[in-house]
Amino acid sequence: MDQATDLGYLLHKHPDRVQRFEQSFGTAHVFYPDAGERRCTAALLLDVDPVKLVRTRGRGTPDFSLGQYVNDRPYAASSLLASAMANVFRTAMRGRCNLRPELAESAIPLEIVLPALPCRGGPGQAERFFAPLGWDVSAVPVPLDPEFAEWGDSRYVTLTLTGTLRLADALNQLYVLLPVLDDAKHYWLAPDEVDKLIRAGEGWLAAHPDRGAITRRYLANRRGLVRTALGRLADAEDAPEEELDPVQVEEEPAPSEDSEQAEKAVSLAEHRLQAVVHALRDENARRVIDLGCGSGKLLARLLKDDFFSEISGTDVSHRALSHAWRRLRWDDRPRRENDRVRDVFQGALTYADERFGGYEAAVLMEVIEHIDPPRLGAVERVVFGHAAPRVVIVTTPNAEHNVRYEGLAPGAMRHSDHRFEWTRAEFRAWADRVAAAHGYRVRHVPVGDDDPEVGAPTQMGVFTR
Ligand code: SAH
């Protein structure tokens, strides 16, 4: 493997050139101090222009220091470096590399050095935020003045991260955690800040043990925004691109300073699980298949409840299934005749499959909104026409409720993988048509806080025939 060209491909910056990128607050330079076959170093140098900074960001800011021509920003790795990174390495951060797609997907050996990182909470804080992501962390305090040891340390550390990760993940983690460690962000909170956090946090933030603290700091403690972000993180847990540890998902978040928000955040996912279990019991359906089971939260719940006698799950995503298998200890389960878990297998809902049949109920919990509209007809035929269990339960977001999520841009969806989100009327129209076409009746149940104006956050249809 040729390290130099590989890193060049991934960053979309040629190793032989020095390139500059104008920012509103200065100039970013990218160059390669070392581009060998065994090791390659790409440097991002941000030359902050204090005058430009005062003019673009300093005006009207509550942060006094930013309105001054002399501050630490030109020297410290702060949110300015993060935003320059997002600008200069935009494609790399999305994990795209058309010429070498397999390289963008691979974890590669990385070392990242930040000579002067403002670090509130001290070196231990950097360790707490980066170590759970798989980094070896060295955070060495920078002395105030090496000539005068008695002055002690500054609030800056030299941070070195070593690990084997996808470059895109590493860049996204830095993008979020640099301003979080600096924790001086109150002056540039844009309205789409929650979206940025969710996007950059994809695949690592939902499962981070400190996701509450990170989210709170990133959003400068704005309660409404923090609540929305934690809610969306909890919601996104099962999306196929999320990497998470099922053990952590099982646990309710530890009560902490953000317990109020965390409680809100878990409660919608929890409400949904309870609503589905309730409906299954109401319909006296003991043999259940979970279609699009994701990481297997519902399967685990059904397994805990003796009412359910036969439980299966399927998903198209191998990554999601590997979490489900681990959660259910599928691999080291002794296969017994009377095992209540019948099968957890990979399958696509767009193709008729014998294995979907033979159950009293099928559940599609937060699945249909992940299906491209032109393929939804196929899923309808497979589920209601072919498998055709006595009961089908479908849950999906209620788009009308989105206005209650502070920080969700108007018209935006709750998760980047959603292909659509329906209003209550749209869901009803779909459900009525599908029920009529396949000989089912359907009743509608709101799930979560039923807002008098915009309805509940989740809508559920219980189909019976
Ligand atoms: N039901 C789970 C997961 C919801 S996320 C829960 O509520 O917690 C949506 C899931 O649908 C993802 O795991 C995704 O992989 C799966 N999915 C999307 N399209 C699918 C398809 N065509 N066939 C099977 N599963 C699909």
Side-chain angles (χ1 to χ4, degrees), residues 238 240 292-294 297 315-317 320 347-350 365-367 370-371:
D238 260 316
C293 63
K297 272 186 292 185
D315 201 286
V316 74
S317 153
L349 297 174
T350 35
M365 186 165 92
E366 306 295 285
V367 172
H370 291 268
I371 309 241

Side-chain angles (χ1 to χ4, degrees), residues 13 61 92 106 123 156-157 166 190 219 256 260 287 292 302 327 331 398 400 424 442 447 459:
K13 301 287 173 277
T61 164
S106 320
Y156 304 88
V157 301
R166 280 175 63 217
L219 296 170
S256 62
E260 190 213 336
R287 295 184 298 106
L302 298 178
R327 191 195 293 274
D331 284 333
N398 163 21
E400 292 164 81
R424 284 169 293 177
V442 57
V447 179
Q459 38 190 349

Side-chain angles (χ1 to χ4, degrees), residues 162-178:
T162 320
T164 302
L165 280 89
R166 280 175 63 217
L167 183 66
D169 290 338
L171 293 174
N172 280 295
Q173 291 163 6
L174 289 172
Y175 174 74
V176 171
L177 292 176
L178 291 189

Side-chain angles (χ1 to χ4, degrees), residues 122-429:
Q125 191 62 258
E127 168 90 30
R128 273 192 296 283
F129 285 162
F130 281 105
L133 299 168
W135 293 106
D136 276 336
V137 183
S138 147
V140 180
V142 176
L144 268 179
D145 189 325
E147 301 283 308
F148 299 93
E150 66 277 15
W151 289 2
D153 290 329
S154 65
R155 68 179 190 101
Y156 304 88
V157 301
T158 297
L159 182 73
T160 308
L161 304 172
T162 320
T164 302
L165 280 89
R166 280 175 63 217
L167 183 66
D169 290 338
L171 293 174
N172 280 295
Q173 291 163 6
L174 289 172
Y175 174 74
V176 171
L177 292 176
L178 291 189
V180 159
L181 284 166
D182 183 16
D183 205 16
K185 222 190 140 165
H186 35 273
Y187 50 88
W188 62 279
L189 218 53
D192 59 345
E193 216 62 53
V194 173
D195 287 333
K196 285 190 194 155
L197 176 65
I198 301 289
R199 206 178 315 129
E202 241 166 49
W204 62 273
L205 185 53
H208 197 295
D210 268 332
R211 65 176 178 274
I214 293 171
T215 303
R216 237 181 13 256
R217 278 194 184 193
Y218 188 90
L219 296 170
N221 263 318
R222 293 263 301 274
R223 282 172 146 260
L225 295 181
V226 171
R227 199 177 302 133
T228 303
L230 287 172
R232 287 176 61 192
L233 281 176
D235 247 19
E237 267 175 351
D238 260 316
E241 68 272 28
E242 298 287 357
E243 187 118 40
L244 42 97
D245 179 354
V247 182
Q248 259 165 23
V249 180
E250 279 283 21
E251 291 165 2
E252 306 285 298
S256 62
E257 316 157 56
D258 49 82
S259 59
E260 190 213 336
Q261 287 95 333
E263 218 168 76
K264 281 259 184 190
V266 208
S267 68
L268 182 55
E270 178 56 30
H271 267 128
R272 255 193 317 257
L273 285 170
Q274 289 176 7
V276 168
V277 170
H278 211 90
L280 288 168
R281 280 175 157 272
D282 269 358
E283 299 300 335
N284 198 29
R286 295 167 187 268
R287 295 184 298 106
V288 181
I289 182 162
D290 187 6
L291 302 174
C293 63
S295 71
K297 272 186 292 185
L298 178 63
L299 297 176
R301 186 60 64 95
L302 298 178
L303 191 56
K304 274 197 205 139
D305 186 339
D306 280 338
F307 175 83
F308 299 100
S309 59
E310 199 176 314
I311 302 157
S312 288
T314 187
D315 201 286
V316 74
S317 153
H318 190 271
R319 197 154 170 191
L321 280 174
S322 61
H323 293 302
W325 285 322
R326 263 162 70 199
R327 191 195 293 274
L328 298 171
R329 315 219 186 299
W330 180 249
D331 284 333
D332 38 60
R333 254 180 126 79
R335 281 296 117 68
R336 277 182 278 112
E337 268 299 285
N338 60 353
D339 196 338
R340 289 165 57 230
V341 184
R342 181 158 114 192
D343 204 358
V344 182
F345 59 96
Q346 193 164 20
L349 297 174
T350 35
Y351 300 95
D353 189 326
E354 291 302 314
R355 295 171 298 174
F356 300 160
Y359 298 89
E360 291 172 298
V363 178
L364 292 119
M365 186 165 92
E366 306 295 285
V367 172
I368 57 170
E369 66 276 11
H370 291 268
I371 309 241
D372 274 328
R375 322 215 70 193
L376 196 55
V379 174
E380 290 161 28
R381 282 190 297 279
V382 167
V383 175
F384 293 89
H386 209 267
R390 181 163 64 72
V391 182
V392 179
I393 296 176
V394 177
T395 79
T396 194
N398 163 21
E400 292 164 81
H401 197 91
N402 289 357
V403 296
R404 292 289 181 266
Y405 292 127
E406 195 189 333
L408 190 59
M413 289 190 272
R414 295 180 200 177
H415 190 273
S416 57
D417 191 52
H418 285 178
R419 311 301 154 94
F420 57 84
E421 285 175 357
W422 281 337
T423 62
R424 284 169 293 177
E426 285 169 321
F427 181 55
R428 258 172 211 280

